[in-house]
Short mmCIF file of all heavy atoms in Angstrom, two decimals:
data_model
loop_
_atom_site.label_atom_id
_atom_site.label_comp_id
_atom_site.label_asym_id
_atom_site.label_seq_id
_atom_site.Cartn_x
_atom_site.Cartn_y
_atom_site.Cartn_z
N LEU A 1 -1.89 1.97 12.33
CA LEU A 1 -1.87 1.05 11.27
C LEU A 1 -0.65 0.05 11.33
O LEU A 1 0.45 0.39 11.60
CB LEU A 1 -1.77 1.78 9.90
CG LEU A 1 -2.92 2.70 9.51
CD1 LEU A 1 -2.63 3.40 8.27
CD2 LEU A 1 -4.28 1.97 9.63
N GLU A 2 -1.03 -1.21 11.16
CA GLU A 2 0.03 -2.26 11.20
C GLU A 2 1.00 -2.14 10.05
O GLU A 2 0.60 -1.78 8.92
CB GLU A 2 -0.64 -3.69 11.07
CG GLU A 2 0.37 -4.85 11.23
CD GLU A 2 -0.38 -6.15 11.01
OE1 GLU A 2 -1.48 -6.19 10.83
OE2 GLU A 2 0.37 -7.15 11.14
N ARG A 3 2.30 -2.22 10.34
CA ARG A 3 3.30 -2.23 9.27
C ARG A 3 4.47 -3.15 9.60
O ARG A 3 4.54 -3.68 10.74
CB ARG A 3 3.90 -0.76 9.27
CG ARG A 3 4.68 -0.40 10.50
CD ARG A 3 5.43 0.95 10.40
NE ARG A 3 6.03 1.41 11.65
CZ ARG A 3 7.21 1.04 12.12
NH1 ARG A 3 7.88 0.14 11.35
NH2 ARG A 3 7.66 1.51 13.25
N LYS A 4 5.14 -3.49 8.49
CA LYS A 4 6.26 -4.36 8.69
C LYS A 4 7.60 -3.62 8.95
O LYS A 4 7.75 -2.49 8.40
CB LYS A 4 6.42 -5.30 7.41
CG LYS A 4 5.25 -6.20 7.23
CD LYS A 4 4.96 -7.10 8.39
CE LYS A 4 3.65 -7.90 8.31
NZ LYS A 4 3.43 -8.60 9.53
N PRO A 5 8.45 -4.15 9.69
CA PRO A 5 9.77 -3.52 10.04
C PRO A 5 10.63 -3.42 8.71
O PRO A 5 11.09 -4.54 8.32
CB PRO A 5 10.41 -4.33 11.08
CG PRO A 5 9.77 -5.73 10.94
CD PRO A 5 8.41 -5.41 10.42
N SER A 6 10.84 -2.31 8.21
CA SER A 6 11.49 -2.24 6.87
C SER A 6 13.00 -1.85 7.04
O SER A 6 13.33 -0.97 7.77
CB SER A 6 10.82 -1.19 6.01
OG SER A 6 11.53 -0.97 4.75
N ASP A 7 13.83 -2.52 6.19
CA ASP A 7 15.20 -2.17 6.09
C ASP A 7 15.51 -1.72 4.64
O ASP A 7 16.64 -1.65 4.24
CB ASP A 7 16.14 -3.40 6.35
CG ASP A 7 16.20 -3.75 7.89
OD1 ASP A 7 16.32 -2.80 8.59
OD2 ASP A 7 16.04 -4.90 8.19
N ALA A 8 14.46 -1.35 3.90
CA ALA A 8 14.58 -0.93 2.50
C ALA A 8 14.05 0.49 2.40
O ALA A 8 13.89 1.24 3.33
CB ALA A 8 13.79 -1.86 1.62
N ASN A 9 13.90 0.91 1.13
CA ASN A 9 13.41 2.30 0.93
C ASN A 9 11.88 2.32 0.57
O ASN A 9 11.44 3.09 -0.25
CB ASN A 9 14.21 2.94 -0.23
CG ASN A 9 13.97 2.26 -1.64
OD1 ASN A 9 13.55 1.08 -1.67
ND2 ASN A 9 14.27 2.99 -2.65
N PHE A 10 11.25 1.56 1.31
CA PHE A 10 9.69 1.54 1.24
C PHE A 10 9.19 0.98 2.52
O PHE A 10 9.95 0.32 3.35
CB PHE A 10 9.27 0.66 0.04
CG PHE A 10 9.89 -0.73 0.01
CD1 PHE A 10 9.31 -1.73 0.70
CD2 PHE A 10 11.05 -0.95 -0.70
CE1 PHE A 10 9.88 -3.01 0.72
CE2 PHE A 10 11.62 -2.26 -0.65
CZ PHE A 10 10.96 -3.31 -0.08
N VAL A 11 7.88 1.06 2.69
CA VAL A 11 7.28 0.50 3.94
C VAL A 11 6.01 -0.24 3.47
O VAL A 11 5.17 0.28 2.60
CB VAL A 11 6.83 1.58 4.89
CG1 VAL A 11 6.17 0.96 6.12
CG2 VAL A 11 8.10 2.35 5.34
N TYR A 12 5.75 -1.39 4.01
CA TYR A 12 4.58 -2.28 3.69
C TYR A 12 3.63 -2.21 4.86
O TYR A 12 4.01 -2.52 5.97
CB TYR A 12 5.05 -3.67 3.42
CG TYR A 12 4.12 -4.55 2.70
CD1 TYR A 12 3.51 -4.19 1.51
CD2 TYR A 12 3.85 -5.90 3.17
CE1 TYR A 12 2.68 -5.06 0.81
CE2 TYR A 12 3.02 -6.70 2.47
CZ TYR A 12 2.45 -6.34 1.25
OH TYR A 12 1.63 -7.14 0.58
N PHE A 13 2.40 -1.76 4.65
CA PHE A 13 1.53 -1.52 5.74
C PHE A 13 0.09 -1.91 5.40
O PHE A 13 -0.32 -1.94 4.24
CB PHE A 13 1.46 -0.04 6.14
CG PHE A 13 0.97 0.91 5.10
CD1 PHE A 13 -0.35 1.35 5.23
CD2 PHE A 13 1.73 1.31 3.98
CE1 PHE A 13 -0.90 2.29 4.29
CE2 PHE A 13 1.08 2.12 3.11
CZ PHE A 13 -0.15 2.63 3.18
N ASN A 14 -0.68 -2.23 6.42
CA ASN A 14 -2.14 -2.54 6.35
C ASN A 14 -2.98 -1.29 6.56
O ASN A 14 -3.03 -0.84 7.68
CB ASN A 14 -2.44 -3.59 7.36
CG ASN A 14 -3.83 -4.16 7.14
OD1 ASN A 14 -4.68 -3.56 6.58
ND2 ASN A 14 -4.13 -5.37 7.60
N ALA A 15 -3.50 -0.76 5.51
CA ALA A 15 -4.34 0.37 5.60
C ALA A 15 -5.75 0.22 6.14
O ALA A 15 -6.49 1.13 6.34
CB ALA A 15 -4.38 1.10 4.25
N GLY A 16 -6.14 -1.08 6.33
CA GLY A 16 -7.45 -1.29 6.79
C GLY A 16 -8.53 -1.17 5.70
O GLY A 16 -9.69 -1.08 6.03
N MET A 17 -8.08 -1.07 4.49
CA MET A 17 -8.96 -0.96 3.35
C MET A 17 -8.25 -1.62 2.19
O MET A 17 -6.98 -1.84 2.20
CB MET A 17 -9.22 0.55 3.01
CG MET A 17 -8.02 1.32 2.65
SD MET A 17 -8.32 3.09 2.45
CE MET A 17 -9.41 3.05 0.98
N PRO A 18 -8.95 -1.98 1.13
CA PRO A 18 -8.30 -2.56 -0.08
C PRO A 18 -7.17 -1.71 -0.60
O PRO A 18 -7.24 -0.48 -0.81
CB PRO A 18 -9.40 -2.75 -1.13
CG PRO A 18 -10.65 -2.81 -0.22
CD PRO A 18 -10.38 -1.90 0.93
N ALA A 19 -6.04 -2.33 -0.80
CA ALA A 19 -4.85 -1.60 -1.25
C ALA A 19 -5.11 -0.90 -2.63
O ALA A 19 -4.63 0.19 -2.94
CB ALA A 19 -3.63 -2.57 -1.45
N ASN A 20 -5.89 -1.60 -3.45
CA ASN A 20 -6.17 -0.98 -4.78
C ASN A 20 -7.06 0.24 -4.64
O ASN A 20 -6.99 1.21 -5.35
CB ASN A 20 -6.80 -2.04 -5.68
CG ASN A 20 -5.78 -2.99 -6.20
OD1 ASN A 20 -4.57 -2.88 -6.02
ND2 ASN A 20 -6.25 -4.02 -6.81
N SER A 21 -7.95 0.21 -3.66
CA SER A 21 -8.83 1.30 -3.44
C SER A 21 -7.96 2.54 -2.93
O SER A 21 -8.21 3.72 -3.30
CB SER A 21 -9.90 1.01 -2.39
OG SER A 21 -10.81 0.05 -2.89
N LEU A 22 -7.08 2.23 -1.97
CA LEU A 22 -6.14 3.36 -1.46
C LEU A 22 -5.38 3.93 -2.57
O LEU A 22 -5.21 5.16 -2.67
CB LEU A 22 -5.33 2.74 -0.34
CG LEU A 22 -4.35 3.75 0.19
CD1 LEU A 22 -5.09 4.94 0.84
CD2 LEU A 22 -3.43 3.13 1.28
N ARG A 23 -4.84 3.06 -3.44
CA ARG A 23 -4.04 3.45 -4.57
C ARG A 23 -4.89 4.46 -5.49
O ARG A 23 -4.41 5.50 -5.89
CB ARG A 23 -3.54 2.33 -5.41
CG ARG A 23 -2.70 2.70 -6.58
CD ARG A 23 -2.24 1.41 -7.32
NE ARG A 23 -1.47 1.72 -8.52
CZ ARG A 23 -1.95 1.95 -9.70
NH1 ARG A 23 -3.18 1.85 -9.91
NH2 ARG A 23 -1.06 2.19 -10.73
N GLU A 24 -6.13 4.06 -5.75
CA GLU A 24 -7.03 4.87 -6.53
C GLU A 24 -7.24 6.29 -5.96
O GLU A 24 -7.16 7.30 -6.59
CB GLU A 24 -8.23 4.15 -6.91
CG GLU A 24 -8.10 2.95 -7.81
CD GLU A 24 -9.32 2.13 -7.91
OE1 GLU A 24 -10.37 2.50 -7.39
OE2 GLU A 24 -9.31 1.02 -8.55
N LYS A 25 -7.51 6.27 -4.61
CA LYS A 25 -7.85 7.52 -3.94
C LYS A 25 -6.56 8.40 -3.99
O LYS A 25 -6.67 9.63 -4.14
CB LYS A 25 -8.21 7.22 -2.50
CG LYS A 25 -9.67 6.74 -2.42
CD LYS A 25 -10.08 6.56 -1.01
CE LYS A 25 -11.50 5.97 -0.78
NZ LYS A 25 -11.88 5.87 0.53
N MET A 26 -5.40 7.78 -3.73
CA MET A 26 -4.20 8.62 -3.79
C MET A 26 -3.96 9.14 -5.23
O MET A 26 -3.51 10.33 -5.27
CB MET A 26 -3.03 7.69 -3.33
CG MET A 26 -2.89 7.47 -1.80
SD MET A 26 -2.27 8.78 -0.86
CE MET A 26 -2.39 8.21 0.72
N ALA A 27 -4.21 8.29 -6.06
CA ALA A 27 -3.88 8.82 -7.58
C ALA A 27 -4.83 9.97 -7.85
O ALA A 27 -4.41 10.83 -8.69
CB ALA A 27 -4.19 7.67 -8.53
N GLU A 28 -6.03 10.00 -7.33
CA GLU A 28 -6.92 11.16 -7.52
C GLU A 28 -6.26 12.50 -7.11
O GLU A 28 -6.63 13.59 -7.72
CB GLU A 28 -8.25 10.92 -6.91
CG GLU A 28 -9.06 9.95 -7.56
CD GLU A 28 -10.39 9.56 -6.79
OE1 GLU A 28 -10.58 10.23 -5.79
OE2 GLU A 28 -11.13 8.68 -7.25
N GLU A 29 -5.43 12.43 -6.15
CA GLU A 29 -4.63 13.60 -5.71
C GLU A 29 -3.22 13.68 -6.18
O GLU A 29 -2.38 14.48 -5.72
CB GLU A 29 -4.69 13.63 -4.14
CG GLU A 29 -6.09 13.75 -3.57
CD GLU A 29 -6.04 14.16 -2.09
OE1 GLU A 29 -5.06 14.61 -1.64
OE2 GLU A 29 -7.10 14.05 -1.47
N GLY A 30 -2.93 12.89 -7.19
CA GLY A 30 -1.57 12.87 -7.81
C GLY A 30 -0.47 12.18 -7.05
O GLY A 30 0.61 12.54 -7.25
N ILE A 31 -0.87 11.32 -6.13
CA ILE A 31 0.08 10.58 -5.29
C ILE A 31 0.04 9.19 -5.80
O ILE A 31 -0.98 8.41 -5.69
CB ILE A 31 -0.32 10.71 -3.79
CG1 ILE A 31 -0.37 12.16 -3.42
CG2 ILE A 31 0.81 9.96 -2.99
CD1 ILE A 31 -0.93 12.34 -2.01
N LEU A 32 1.18 8.69 -6.24
CA LEU A 32 1.29 7.32 -6.80
C LEU A 32 1.88 6.33 -5.81
O LEU A 32 3.01 6.54 -5.31
CB LEU A 32 2.05 7.29 -8.12
CG LEU A 32 1.62 8.31 -9.15
CD1 LEU A 32 2.44 8.14 -10.38
CD2 LEU A 32 0.13 8.12 -9.50
N ILE A 33 1.22 5.26 -5.41
CA ILE A 33 1.75 4.22 -4.58
C ILE A 33 1.47 2.84 -5.31
O ILE A 33 0.72 2.81 -6.31
CB ILE A 33 1.17 4.22 -3.14
CG1 ILE A 33 -0.33 3.96 -3.21
CG2 ILE A 33 1.51 5.52 -2.44
CD1 ILE A 33 -0.94 3.73 -1.79
N ARG A 34 1.93 1.77 -4.76
CA ARG A 34 1.85 0.55 -5.35
C ARG A 34 0.48 -0.15 -5.12
O ARG A 34 -0.16 0.07 -4.07
CB ARG A 34 2.94 -0.45 -4.81
CG ARG A 34 3.00 -1.76 -5.41
CD ARG A 34 3.39 -1.71 -6.91
NE ARG A 34 3.89 -3.05 -7.44
CZ ARG A 34 3.15 -4.13 -7.72
NH1 ARG A 34 1.84 -4.02 -7.49
NH2 ARG A 34 3.65 -5.15 -8.14
N SER A 35 0.00 -0.84 -6.14
CA SER A 35 -1.24 -1.67 -6.00
C SER A 35 -0.89 -2.88 -5.16
O SER A 35 0.22 -3.16 -4.80
CB SER A 35 -1.81 -2.01 -7.37
OG SER A 35 -0.79 -2.78 -8.12
N LYS A 36 -1.98 -3.69 -4.91
CA LYS A 36 -1.80 -4.85 -4.08
C LYS A 36 -0.91 -5.93 -4.69
O LYS A 36 -0.79 -6.06 -5.91
CB LYS A 36 -3.14 -5.49 -3.73
CG LYS A 36 -3.78 -6.32 -4.80
CD LYS A 36 -4.97 -7.10 -4.24
CE LYS A 36 -5.52 -8.09 -5.33
NZ LYS A 36 -6.56 -8.91 -4.82
N TYR A 37 -0.32 -6.71 -3.82
CA TYR A 37 0.48 -7.90 -4.23
C TYR A 37 -0.40 -9.13 -4.01
O TYR A 37 -0.92 -9.30 -2.81
CB TYR A 37 1.71 -7.97 -3.47
CG TYR A 37 2.84 -7.00 -3.85
CD1 TYR A 37 2.88 -5.70 -3.29
CD2 TYR A 37 3.79 -7.35 -4.85
CE1 TYR A 37 3.72 -4.79 -3.71
CE2 TYR A 37 4.71 -6.51 -5.25
CZ TYR A 37 4.71 -5.20 -4.70
OH TYR A 37 5.63 -4.27 -5.05
N MET A 38 -0.46 -10.01 -4.91
CA MET A 38 -1.15 -11.27 -4.76
C MET A 38 -2.52 -11.15 -4.09
O MET A 38 -3.33 -10.19 -4.54
CB MET A 38 -0.15 -12.29 -4.06
CG MET A 38 1.08 -12.50 -4.81
SD MET A 38 2.22 -13.59 -3.99
CE MET A 38 1.44 -15.22 -4.20
N ASP A 39 -2.75 -11.99 -3.13
CA ASP A 39 -4.08 -11.78 -2.43
C ASP A 39 -3.92 -11.10 -1.11
O ASP A 39 -4.79 -11.23 -0.13
CB ASP A 39 -4.72 -13.25 -2.22
CG ASP A 39 -3.75 -14.20 -1.48
OD1 ASP A 39 -2.60 -13.75 -1.11
OD2 ASP A 39 -4.19 -15.36 -1.25
N TYR A 40 -2.90 -10.39 -0.92
CA TYR A 40 -2.74 -9.48 0.35
C TYR A 40 -3.48 -8.22 0.12
O TYR A 40 -2.94 -7.17 -0.06
CB TYR A 40 -1.21 -9.33 0.52
CG TYR A 40 -0.48 -10.54 0.81
CD1 TYR A 40 0.13 -11.29 -0.21
CD2 TYR A 40 -0.33 -11.12 2.18
CE1 TYR A 40 0.85 -12.41 0.00
CE2 TYR A 40 0.31 -12.25 2.36
CZ TYR A 40 0.93 -12.95 1.28
OH TYR A 40 1.59 -14.08 1.51
#
């Protein structure tokens, strides 16, 4: 999966699927991540 080189305490990556869909799937298992930003 494509990702950006991070110098922070998070990683920004392209999951190859809508970020909001991935967030919802993760939430179903009790794992919370960020929803999409803007039109990315």
Side-chain angles (χ1 to χ4, degrees):
L1 299 178
E2 182 183 2
R3 64 175 174 84
K4 296 304 172 184
S6 177
D7 286 315
N9 65 339
F10 53 85
V11 180
Y12 198 49
F13 68 99
N14 186 338
M17 62 184 295
N20 287 350
S21 296
L22 178 61
R23 179 179 181 272
E24 290 170 6
K25 289 184 176 183
M26 285 284 179
E28 289 174 1
E29 295 195 15
I31 304 169
L32 308 182
I33 64 171
R34 185 60 163 76
S35 57
K36 77 167 185 175
Y37 285 85
M38 302 178 72
D39 55 358
Y40 298 91

